[in-house]
Amino acid sequence: MAPIANVVLRGRTFHFRRRIPTGLQPKLRLTEMVRSLGTSDARTAKLRACQLYVASENIFSTLNATPMLTDAQLARLVQDFYGLILDQENQGRLTRGAIPNDIRERRVVQYETMAARNREALACNRVEEAGFVTAQMLNKQGIKPSNLSPAELSQARQAMLRAGIDVAEALKARHEGDFNFEPRDKLLKAQLEATPPSTASRRAKRIGTDACV
């Protein structure tokens, strides 16, 4: 019997077997597709294998065309981070009383330094510096960092670095008496405009305000 493409015989049953493209292996967490064709007849196996090949080709095309991290997911990611940190900072203001002026001035310098550090990391492409907080926020959205490809994980970290700049500058502005700070990052700004103001305050799980990436 001549070999059938993508078909192997295991015992008396034919199986479909196809290697997954290297670029899609991190998404699917598999290196190959294997499935029983449920037959010992070569002609039936060939027909079913052709059908599975077409189906797998459609799956690969869809995954290549649609990234795992969509723009909407990235926007929610940075909005969750931005809203959570600022909400926590305001809760502290409402419960801890007056801030001595010398402490206020030190915090202005602290947040200015944070913003500068994030800008430098972004400019130098040191996206791994946002690794911890990115993992926390991805998990909060139900996305496992291990399921993302290296490029997608870097994309999420880059977005968090950008949001981190706006978070640090918003906190600095508050300690200078400006509570009307508007973020400049387009991804974050678009999501904020589409989200009711009260939503962010309902998303509160504690992350320290010093975790501005």
Side-chain angles (χ1 to χ4, degrees):
M1 181 188 71
I4 306 173
N6 299 105
V7 173
V8 294
L9 183 63
R10 294 181 174 178
R12 296 183 178 181
T13 303
F14 287 103
H15 287 71
F16 175 79
R17 183 178 181 182
R18 184 181 182 187
R19 181 173 175 80
I20 294 172
T22 304
L24 296 178
Q25 290 177 13
K27 290 185 178 182
L28 297 176
R29 305 188 74 179
L30 295 168
T31 58
E32 64 179 9
M33 289 182 168
V34 179
R35 180 176 176 177
S36 171
L37 294 172
T39 183
S40 58
D41 179 71
R43 292 183 64 185
T44 303
K46 184 176 182 179
L47 176 62
R48 292 177 181 175
C50 287
Q51 293 170 338
L52 283 177
Y53 187 91
V54 172
S56 64
E57 194 67 20
N58 288 334
I59 290 172
F60 297 158
S61 297
T62 300
L63 287 173
N64 280 321
T66 307
M68 183 171 289
L69 278 179
T70 64
D71 286 344
Q73 285 175 311
L74 284 172
R76 285 196 300 271
L77 190 73
V78 297
Q79 163 60 6
D80 276 354
F81 174 60
Y82 185 88
L84 192 146
I85 297 298
L86 265 62
D87 182 65
Q88 181 182 327
E89 193 274 342
N90 198 51
Q91 289 300 314
R93 285 178 174 272
L94 297 176
T95 58
R96 296 174 191 165
I99 301 172
N101 196 53
D102 61 328
I103 292 178
R104 180 195 68 81
E105 289 177 348
R106 286 201 296 269
R107 288 180 181 173
V108 167
V109 175
Q110 174 190 353
Y111 295 129
E112 186 174 25
T113 302
M114 284 182 178
R117 185 187 68 194
N118 282 2
R119 281 197 190 89
E120 181 182 289
L122 194 60
C124 295
N125 203 37
R126 299 196 305 264
V127 295
E128 68 280 357
E129 291 188 15
F132 175 77
V133 71
T134 302
Q136 294 291 313
M137 300 312 296
L138 284 170
N139 284 322
K140 188 173 182 290
Q141 281 198 25
I143 301 172
K144 292 184 178 181
S146 59
N147 286 344
L148 300 178
S149 69
E152 288 167 331
L153 191 56
S154 292
Q155 183 184 27
R157 289 173 174 175
Q158 186 185 73
M160 292 302 293
L161 276 176
R162 289 161 51 188
I165 294 171
D166 273 326
V167 168
E169 291 189 339
L171 293 172
K172 175 178 176 287
R174 287 187 176 193
H175 283 81
E176 292 175 328
D178 178 10
F179 279 69
N180 295 311
F181 175 85
E182 293 289 338
R184 290 185 295 177
D185 183 76
K186 292 181 180 179
L187 193 63
L188 178 57
K189 198 169 183 179
Q191 181 67 6
L192 282 171
E193 289 172 353
T195 305
S198 59
T199 301
S201 63
R202 295 197 296 265
R203 297 173 177 166
K205 286 189 180 178
R206 188 174 181 81
I207 293 180
T209 53
D210 58 348
C212 295
V213 183

